[in-house]
Amino acid sequence: LLKGGKSAPMHEIDEAELRQVLEQAEQLQLQAERLRHSHGLAQRLPLGQPHRASPPTAEDVKLEQELDAQSRETWDAIVQAQPAAEQAAAAAPMASAADSSKGYLIQKIRACEAELQQLAQHQSIEAARTLPEVKAEAQQELDDDLQGLHCLFSLLEQEQRDLHTAVTREQILLEQQRRIEGALLDKIAAVKEDSGLAPPASTTRDRIRRAVDRNRSLMASMGAFMSKYYPAPPAETANLVPQSVPSQSASSADDRRVQPLADFLEDLMNLCISRPHDPYLSLQPHHWAPYVELLLRAGIAVKHPQNSNKIKLTEYHV
């Protein structure tokens, strides 16, 4: 390197050569310093201008020339070695980064090799398994899945039953709330009537009069309907007493005559109004048995639960 006069490219310089060049440069620099200090040269003088304290002798001139030549050679070697030292200093971080990258790659390669080894072992184990073992394992997994699905289905059924029970309970509560609301509204209306918010007396009388007129009209219509479709029985039947009804009074012929159907119904309706706690009518000989059977089959009247000789009008308003 010192003889060539040029520094080699950075990629061609070996680390050992760089270290050797740096050591040679340090040695040459120390040698030049010693020569300067030994001959009184404290600093490097310009060439061709020697410093003399007294007239030189021939030996001094020769020695000075030798020292000057050695100084020149040493200085040239230092100048030539300086670029190589700078390149080595610049290449040191790159070398450390390359070394770290190389170590990381080596670790990755080792990890991949270990993973490949594990996969090879797993494949060898899978290849060593027989067909019955694989079938047994698959059947076990299938059984476990089916058991889990059965448990899930049971849970869903239980949740469905719970939801159905909850919905039924909520419907019952809703119906109760509606009934309570209706009762409260009726109570509010009654309170308003008691507190003086009721309609005037003239309006009430008008309503009563209209209701009475409506009732009379309905009774007249019902009488006309009965006369047209259910006339009085024939004369030979009118004096017959039904055998199914025990006679209580047979002293006169009027008691043995059959009562018309319109009068029969009127008696039942009067008992519902005048005696609501006991609206039953005791059957007498003048109550014709076909009329009684007609009222019972049509659902207009019902028998007493304990006494079959008593009937009452069906409670349509309940």
Side-chain angles (χ1 to χ4, degrees):
L1 178 64
L2 294 177
K3 292 179 181 180
K6 293 182 181 181
S7 61
M10 184 169 58
H11 63 276
E12 296 179 357
I13 298 174
D14 192 8
E15 185 178 359
E17 294 179 359
L18 288 174
R19 192 177 293 108
Q20 185 177 2
V21 169
L22 291 175
E23 291 177 356
Q24 290 179 2
E26 290 178 357
Q27 292 177 3
L28 291 174
Q29 189 174 4
L30 291 175
Q31 186 177 0
E33 291 293 334
R34 284 198 301 269
L35 288 174
R36 286 193 182 94
H37 287 293
S38 63
H39 294 281
L41 297 176
Q43 59 182 354
R44 182 176 179 277
L45 297 176
L47 297 178
Q49 296 181 0
H51 177 73
R52 299 184 181 86
S54 59
T57 60
E59 187 178 357
D60 292 335
V61 171
K62 185 178 179 181
L63 182 59
E64 184 177 358
Q65 291 176 355
E66 292 177 356
L67 290 174
D68 192 11
Q70 292 180 1
S71 298
R72 287 176 179 273
E73 292 178 0
T74 303
W75 184 257
D76 293 339
I78 291 172
V79 170
Q80 291 177 0
Q82 187 174 1
E86 292 178 356
Q87 290 181 1
M94 296 176 62
S96 61
D99 293 338
S100 61
S101 301
K102 183 178 179 181
Y104 174 73
L105 292 175
I106 291 172
Q107 292 179 359
K108 291 286 290 183
I109 291 171
R110 289 177 180 175
C112 292
E113 289 177 352
E115 187 175 359
L116 288 174
Q117 187 176 2
Q118 291 179 358
L119 290 174
Q121 292 177 357
H122 181 69
Q123 290 180 355
S124 62
I125 293 172
E126 292 292 334
R129 296 171 61 189
T130 60
L131 183 60
E133 293 178 354
V134 174
K135 288 183 177 180
E137 185 177 355
Q139 185 66 32
Q140 183 65 30
E141 293 180 357
L142 180 61
D143 294 339
D144 294 340
D145 294 339
L146 288 175
Q147 186 176 3
L149 290 175
H150 283 306
C151 294
L152 180 60
F153 184 71
S154 300
L155 290 176
L156 291 176
E157 283 186 341
Q158 184 63 32
E159 290 182 359
Q160 184 179 6
R161 288 193 294 268
D162 295 341
L163 288 174
H164 182 70
T165 305
V167 169
T168 305
R169 185 171 58 254
E170 292 296 332
Q171 288 178 351
I172 294 172
L173 291 176
L174 179 60
E175 186 65 26
Q176 291 178 355
Q177 293 292 333
R178 288 177 178 175
R179 292 179 181 177
I180 293 172
E181 182 181 2
L184 290 176
L185 291 175
D186 295 340
K187 187 67 175 178
I188 291 172
V191 170
K192 288 182 178 179
E193 291 179 358
D194 294 340
S195 62
L197 298 178
S202 59
T203 306
T204 304
R205 286 194 296 269
D206 293 339
R207 289 181 178 178
I208 293 173
R209 182 177 54 79
R210 286 196 299 268
V212 171
D213 294 339
R214 179 65 175 169
N215 187 24
R216 289 176 180 175
S217 175
L218 289 175
M219 293 298 292
S221 299
M222 187 179 69
F225 179 82
M226 293 295 176
S227 301
K228 181 178 180 180
Y229 293 100
Y230 297 95
E236 60 272 10
T237 309
N239 294 325
L240 294 178
V241 178
Q243 300 295 329
S244 61
V245 179
S247 61
Q248 297 179 356
S249 175
S251 59
S252 64
D254 294 336
D255 294 336
R256 297 173 58 86
R257 185 171 298 177
V258 175
Q259 185 181 20
L261 182 58
D263 297 340
F264 194 2
L265 288 175
E266 187 176 357
D267 292 340
L268 291 173
M269 289 187 289
N270 290 334
L271 286 175
C272 288
I273 300 300
S274 62
R275 211 168 55 184
H277 59 283
D278 186 18
Y280 288 95
L281 174 66
S282 298
L283 296 177
Q284 301 298 329
H286 58 269
H287 294 139
W288 196 27
Y291 286 166
V292 175
E293 189 70 19
L294 173 65
L295 295 178
L296 292 176
R297 290 193 177 186
I300 300 174
V302 292
K303 287 185 177 182
H304 194 279
Q306 297 178 356
N307 189 357
S308 62
N309 197 31
K310 291 183 178 182
I311 63 173
K312 72 171 183 176
L313 193 68
T314 302
E315 297 176 355
Y316 297 102
H317 61 283
V318 177

